[in-house]
Amino acid sequence: MRILTPASLNPAIRNVQYAVRGELAIRAEAHRERLKEENHGLPFDKVISSNIGNPQQKGLDQQPLTFVRQVAALTEWPPLADLAPGVFPPDVVARAKELIREIGSIGAYSHSQGVPFIRKNVANFIQERDGYPADPAHIFLTAGASAGVSLLISMLITGPNSGILIPIPQYPLYTATLAQYNGTPIPYYLDEASDWSTSVESIEVALKEAIAKGIEPKALVIINPGNPTGALLEESTQERLVKLCEDHSLVLLADEVYQANIHNRATHQFISFKKVVSKMQSPVPLVSFHSTSKGVTGECGRRGGYFECTNISEPVLALVYKMMSVGLCPVVSGQIGVDTMVRPPKPGEPSYELWKKETDATHAALASRTRIMAERLNKLPGVSCVNSPGALYLYPQIRLSKKAIEAAKSRGKEPDAFYALELLDRTGICVVPGSGFGQKEGEWHYRLTCLCPGVEEYVNKLERFHREFVSEYNSS
Amino acid sequence: MRILTPASLNPAIRNVQYAVRGELAIRAEAHRERLKEENHGLPFDKVISSNIGNPQQKGLDQQPLTFVRQVAALTEWPPLADLAPGVFPPDVVARAKELIREIGSIGAYSHSQGVPFIRKNVANFIQERDGYPADPAHIFLTAGASAGVSLLISMLITGPNSGILIPIPQYPLYTATLAQYNGTPIPYYLDEASDWSTSVESIEVALKEAIAKGIEPKALVIINPGNPTGALLEESTQERLVKLCEDHSLVLLADEVYQANIHNRATHQFISFKKVVSKMQSPVPLVSFHSTSKGVTGECGRRGGYFECTNISEPVLALVYKMMSVGLCPVVSGQIGVDTMVRPPKPGEPSYELWKKETDATHAALASRTRIMAERLNKLPGVSCVNSPGALYLYPQIRLSKKAIEAAKSRGKEPDAFYALELLDRTGICVVPGSGFGQKEGEWHYRLTCLCPGVEEYVNKLERFHREFVSEYNSS
């Protein structure tokens, strides 16, 4: 019989690329295994995973929020409230009882769109955030934001000439999903010189070029706050982007999973596209994504998230529902995670003080690490780094010498992948090369997360490596 | 601007059909809402969801296994072990500690393929079940079996002339996924007259017809125990099916999610395809699916599952891994659910007695209900029903009069959908019409689950309705 080979499989699958868990991450895992051996021979004693925004990962220090985990434990095994009296604060006990009354067993499939009660709470959260109404019937709970993004892209793409506008640099979920569903990415470039701002003009240019090539633009992806850039959009830009979607009949896909990750809330404020569209009374079809994985919740493994549809017609919503129903339902413990995210303890409630302390500490740690890392990276020769106001990342640019580029080529690597591999092999720090996110021709970057404790030691390692690398590959 | 309509979306999405959560289920939900009103005017006082294998659903009586929920609660909030001493049996405390040591926080993304430690435990479970080795590197943890099936089908389909052999009747996930990915189902018919047995000859016929039409057969789907039929394959048939896959270079997709649902384990035994392939030393590429949603665990909302790849080459496994990594990771609490499924308490351990009592009771209730329902259905005029040895369902055939068929047509319904809608509207019992699973031209069936408590009252309702329906639509 014929053997099953990659060549006999769907070619679209072969074209999918997802660097965040690619070569670097696999090599980091191998190092981690090797470190368990007594004479491992590696020049470091631990691997630091800065490749993925995974705050509760081993070796990073973000602790889960107590409130989130207490509600989770009680909904998993409701008799606990009586078996361990006094262990859970009364507001946690009340919340768990309320959820169980509405959901029934968390071991049962829920409504395919998500538990109606939890969708109502999400709608209230949105309404409080924006000051405009939200409809639970237009909210879909999902397994993280990724599942929703993938579903929406699969629905919008009608063939290889369907295009979706993607920022460059971007989170590679977008290009990976487009590759999987045979769509065409229409790249538009963010402007590094003005702190990775989004230029409406550059999108217009990208649109024109795409249309000239016979590509039909279907949607515009905006990541705000940005990934990997951490940039935050200004309201005036958001308004112009909505107008652009109106003019070109584009669906606006707003990835807003970092909305709670704003480092200085005195100077920077997140404004949702839902608010902008509502304020403008725009008819633009908008799908906004949110997740329990980021923010200060950081519950990535829980796979909780939602998307809200605005200006999407009932027949289209019915199709979205049908597709959700084939997958039966989003994981119920993830839905409960969404509930705790959109209904955190309020001042005066028993869990509030601890929740406030824990979330404040996480916000402060992220802000301080981001600032320190950006400052120190900017002092390195050949490195420049926009100091991100939001999200969990920095995306420094590295200028590489001809010698380094040639060394990379001789190993069959992109220059920034070569730099990142050397960084990993010499320090144990795992980052993702810019080629995984996209960048202008001839530029090189990498993305690192600002999640590692011990920022001083961490930055020292980055600095030492960079100076070594530069002197080793000095062209002169 | 142009409005987003179904016509502007991916046409493949429009073609997807999934009856288990379709018209009947939506109508049942509406009835349930209406029952909350004081003067609802419905001729019943509760809706009974027999449309979906969801054992822990409200109104059904399957309780979660205490062991599963205790481990879940402790891994959600590990400090509980010390805060509530004596509440958890020592084996639960030890299991939770071991899992947390291996996983770290369950709020972190895990390895995209699933936690290595849990995959090792799955491999041990398979090896113990079959007597043949299993490799953790070939096991992928998933969000239920559906996610795995969908991924594999999306990888195997290379274009609209790619076909996959699907049993009729089938669980509609298969046709839905094929529609989504533009593949072609190649239906083969199960033989109702011999207790829904699988005929190798009928598959050969289907293959020939498909090849004559220019369709390239890629894989054979077998559901064992069957859904919706509950039939169990004999080993000799399994061997012939493996041979057939060898002869035609087919990937064997073995949906074995009901492997623990055998009603009489003295007379019937589940044999996995992994065991058959291993025993025959066959090179057939096999992917076997399992889930925490069925069996006596019934943890549907947890979204836990796995698939094992046998005779799948490393480069293909690498592609599967890459696709899993785009979705980041299967939900970690679902992975822990898989761990408790493959490592239940052993005799002598503190949790064993209760676990045994709970699982025995569920097995006995399912077996008894299935038998009683099949017996009583078989006594009804125009109804015949194979008494399923396994799974959670019965799939009775109903012979409908010309008058009933015409009444259905006049309402724009399939005759069995009309029957099922009438059943729902008059009794509150929600089943799925055979047209959702497939059946021979001119035959009509419906699927009902054997999960409802109070079997006597339930069957009485079914009987009363059927006799009324028959007399109302008596053609003579």
Side-chain angles (χ1 to χ4, degrees), chain A residues 1-2 4-6 8-10 13-14 16 18 21 26 52-54 56-58 66 69-70 72-73 75-77 80 83-84 87-88 101-112 146 154-158 171 173 176 180-181 216 218 245-246 249 251 283-285 293-294 298-303 312-313 315-316 319 321-323 325-329 331-333, chain B residues 1-2 4-6 8-10 13-14 16 18 21 26 52-54 56-58 66 69-70 72-73 75-77 80 83-84 87-88 101-112 146 154-158 171 173 176 180-181 216 218 245-246 249 251 283-285 293-294 298-303 312-313 315-316 319 321-323 325-329 331-333:
Chain A
M1 63 173 294
R2 265 196 334 269
L4 193 67
T5 64
S8 56
L9 298 178
N10 181 351
I13 300 287
R14 297 205 301 277
V16 168
Y18 185 70
R21 293 209 155 191
I26 291 168
I52 187 162
N54 189 11
Q56 295 185 27
Q57 195 171 15
K58 273 182 186 176
T66 304
R69 295 305 191 88
Q70 286 175 331
T75 47
E76 281 287 2
W77 196 37
L80 258 178
L83 292 170
V87 166
F88 294 89
R101 193 172 59 234
E102 293 287 339
I103 298 170
S105 169
I106 78 165
Y109 294 126
S110 74
H111 190 294
S112 293
S146 301
S154 76
M155 293 184 68
L156 289 168
I157 293 301
T158 55
Y171 176 54
L173 168 66
Q180 184 182 356
Y181 293 103
E216 186 193 1
K218 294 279 193 172
C245 288
E246 281 183 23
S249 291
V251 178
V284 159
S293 300
K294 312 301 171 187
E299 292 277 335
C300 303
R302 191 168 300 280
R303 313 311 293 121
I312 306 277
S313 68
V316 173
L319 284 178
Y321 173 78
K322 181 181 73 179
M323 294 311 294
S325 80
V326 178
L328 295 162
C329 75
V331 52
V332 178
S333 60
Chain B
M1 64 171 293
R2 263 197 335 269
L4 194 67
T5 64
S8 57
L9 297 178
N10 181 351
I13 299 289
R14 296 206 302 277
V16 168
Y18 185 69
R21 294 210 154 189
I26 291 168
I52 188 162
N54 188 11
Q56 295 184 29
Q57 196 170 13
K58 273 182 185 175
T66 304
R69 295 305 192 90
Q70 287 175 331
T75 47
E76 281 287 3
W77 196 37
L80 259 178
L83 292 170
V87 166
F88 294 90
R101 195 172 57 234
E102 292 287 339
I103 298 170
S105 170
I106 78 164
Y109 294 126
S110 73
H111 191 294
S112 294
S146 301
S154 77
M155 293 184 67
L156 289 168
I157 294 300
T158 54
Y171 176 55
L173 167 67
Q180 184 182 357
Y181 293 102
E216 186 193 0
K218 293 279 192 172
C245 288
E246 281 183 23
S249 291
V251 178
V284 159
S293 302
K294 313 301 172 188
E299 292 278 334
C300 302
R302 192 168 300 279
R303 314 311 291 122
I312 306 278
S313 68
V316 173
L319 283 178
Y321 173 79
K322 180 180 71 178
M323 295 311 294
S325 80
V326 178
L328 296 163
C329 75
V331 52
V332 178
S333 60

Side-chain angles (χ1 to χ4, degrees), chain A residues 187-230:
Chain A
Y188 67 91
Y189 287 84
L190 305 177
D191 182 19
E192 186 165 9
S194 66
D195 294 349
W196 293 117
S197 68
T198 299
S199 146
V200 177
E201 290 68 28
S202 89
I203 300 178
E204 296 274 10
V205 169
L207 268 171
K208 254 186 215 147
E209 282 176 13
I211 293 166
K213 283 185 203 153
I215 295 164
E216 186 193 1
K218 294 279 193 172
L220 167 66
V221 170
I222 301 277
I223 313 176
N224 182 42
N227 178 2
T229 66

Side-chain angles (χ1 to χ4, degrees), chain A residues 396-422:
Chain A
Q397 181 170 164
I398 42 175
R399 280 171 291 282
L400 298 174
S401 66
K402 218 173 146 180
K403 198 170 160 190
I405 292 169
E406 275 160 14
K409 274 189 193 153
S410 75
R411 287 162 177 84
K413 302 286 174 201
E414 292 287 333
D416 50 3
F418 173 62
Y419 180 93
L421 281 164
E422 290 292 305

